[in-house]
Amino acid sequence: SGWLSEFGLSSSYGTSAVLQALNALFISLAMHETLSIEKRIPFEAKMTPKLFLRFPLSCTRILFGRSKEIRILAIIMLFQTLPNSIDGFFQIFTKAEWNLGTKEFSSFVAIFGVIGIVANTVGSLVVTKIGIKHYTAVAALSSTLAPIGAILFSFRGLLAGSIVGFLGSAQNLGVSAALIAEGAKSGVPQRELAGEQSSFLALCGVFGPIWYNTLYVQGKIFFRSKNLPFLFNALLAVGVFAISRINLS
């Protein structure tokens, strides 16, 4: 991505569009429907307006319409997912505060991608060895290193913290597995719980960027600090650690 950025935004976006198209083609040809025919619900166009009106509220069911265990797991997942909404703010921040150009930023993001691959590979092995409770706690503590590093040592600290605390990039592995298991134990259909989870996280994706931009702008105005978003992420990780130690088994 860093190399493509040298040829302009059109090259980067064009390559991305081609890869997305190939991905869609591969899925349409290689992925098969797992739901049996008798369990499928036929599409009805007249139900579409009703579904659109109900969609924004469907995410609340995972918090208020399910068991206490599912609600706790949903809150943990919320805390783990919110930092992913930092992307838009982060691109502005690196340019304005750290003076990173497009090429440097692209290389920066590419490194995070590699860290994510390593984290998910190692994390999937570690979580089976130490259990969901301990893994979630360790991953939460790991995810504090990157924001603390950013606050203390700018982008070099963020990079070092992300590498040392690489498990933070895969901290939701244990919670995702626990949510599926808890849903099965409670008798909630997996597809129904998956839909509620997706809409819940999608709502985070809408409000998350607004929240981080607000923290950045208002933090500079009222507290004369540019690092409020990173401090917030560190506090989220501490919250995940505390909730997981108290409530997970």
Side-chain angles (χ1 to χ4, degrees):
S1 58
W3 175 72
L4 284 174
S5 65
E6 297 180 4
F7 299 94
L9 288 176
S10 58
S11 299
S12 298
Y13 282 113
T15 303
S16 177
V18 170
L19 291 175
Q20 291 289 353
L22 290 175
N23 186 42
L25 180 63
F26 175 77
I27 290 174
S28 63
L29 296 176
M31 183 174 288
H32 302 287
E33 177 61 65
T34 57
L35 198 63
S36 58
I37 296 177
E38 60 272 11
K39 291 184 178 180
R40 299 179 192 177
I41 301 175
F43 175 76
E44 297 182 15
K46 63 181 180 180
M47 291 292 293
T48 303
K50 183 178 178 180
L51 291 174
F52 272 120
L53 291 174
R54 194 175 64 180
F55 172 76
L57 299 177
S58 63
C59 65
T60 60
R61 192 174 182 186
I62 199 172
L63 289 176
F64 305 111
R66 300 301 182 190
S67 65
K68 176 185 175 183
E69 290 75 16
I70 290 180
R71 181 164 58 251
I72 290 171
L73 290 169
I75 292 172
I76 293 176
M77 186 169 290
L78 169 64
F79 285 9
Q80 293 175 331
T81 304
L82 265 178
N84 296 335
S85 301
I86 204 171
D87 291 348
F89 144 79
F90 187 63
Q91 189 167 1
I92 297 172
F93 184 92
T94 54
K95 177 68 175 178
E97 305 293 344
W98 293 344
N99 296 317
L100 292 185
T102 304
K103 182 179 180 180
E104 291 81 5
F105 178 79
S106 299
S107 301
F108 210 39
V109 172
I111 292 173
F112 286 133
V114 174
I115 292 173
I117 294 172
V118 174
N120 280 280
T121 303
V122 175
S124 60
L125 299 175
V126 173
V127 71
T128 60
K129 301 293 183 182
I130 65 176
I132 292 174
K133 178 177 182 177
H134 297 306
Y135 175 81
T136 302
V138 170
L141 291 179
S142 298
S143 64
T144 63
L145 299 179
I148 291 175
I151 293 172
L152 297 178
F153 306 107
S154 71
F155 72 93
R156 291 183 178 84
L158 176 65
L159 184 58
S162 299
I163 293 173
V164 176
F166 68 97
L167 280 180
S169 299
Q171 60 175 321
N172 62 350
L173 278 177
V175 174
S176 298
L179 189 62
I180 295 172
E182 192 58 44
K185 188 192 301 183
S186 303
V188 182
Q190 186 174 344
R191 63 183 182 277
E192 190 173 313
L193 186 61
E196 293 172 7
Q197 177 184 341
S198 297
S199 60
F200 181 60
L201 298 182
L203 203 62
C204 296
V206 173
F207 291 104
I210 300 174
W211 173 246
Y212 279 103
N213 285 325
T214 301
L215 284 177
Y216 174 52
V217 174
Q218 299 304 320
K220 293 187 72 172
I221 295 174
F222 291 104
F223 301 102
R224 299 186 181 280
S225 173
K226 61 187 178 183
N227 293 315
L228 225 55
F230 298 115
L231 178 61
F232 178 71
N233 279 355
L235 292 176
L236 284 179
V238 172
V240 170
F241 175 80
I243 296 173
S244 65
R245 299 305 298 172
I246 295 171
N247 294 284
L248 296 186
S249 57

